């Protein structure tokens, strides 16, 4: 299974991801590239900017139409 497929499975289960979570949970150093691959394959993914406890802002990705859980 490719990294993109692993990430898609996580998103399909109702999950969401930031770059830090993708690295920690899946060893994915290039989340935005994997998300781009999925989008090019027709997967509807949305992102929103979230503020981390450190004050840094990062994108959180989820499937379109699915609420955070």
């Amino acid at each position: 299974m490719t990294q993109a497929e692993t990430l898609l499975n996580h998103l399909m289960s109702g999950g969401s991801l930031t770059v830090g979570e993708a690295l920690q949970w899946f060893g994915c150093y290039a989340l935005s590239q994997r998300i781009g691959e999925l989008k090019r394959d027709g997967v509807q993914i949305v992102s929103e900017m979230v503020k981390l406890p450190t004050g840094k802002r990062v994108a959180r990705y989820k499937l379109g139409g699915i609420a955070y859980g």
Side-chain angles (χ1 to χ4, degrees):
M1 182 176 290
T2 68
Q3 245 182 10
E5 291 168 335
T6 300
L7 297 173
L8 179 58
N9 284 339
H10 174 74
L11 296 173
M12 289 177 67
S13 72
S16 63
L17 282 171
T18 64
V19 67
E21 293 165 344
L23 178 58
Q24 180 181 2
W25 299 338
F26 304 109
C28 178
Y29 285 90
L31 179 60
S32 62
Q33 286 84 355
R34 300 298 79 81
I35 294 296
E37 290 172 8
L38 292 170
K39 286 181 173 182
R40 283 190 293 280
D41 287 342
V43 179
Q44 186 178 21
I45 297 175
V46 296
S47 65
E48 76 172 317
M49 296 304 290
V50 296
K51 189 174 182 179
L52 300 178
T54 62
K56 183 177 179 179
R57 292 176 49 86
V58 297
R60 175 170 293 282
Y61 298 96
K62 66 177 183 171
L63 289 183
I66 296 178
Y68 292 118

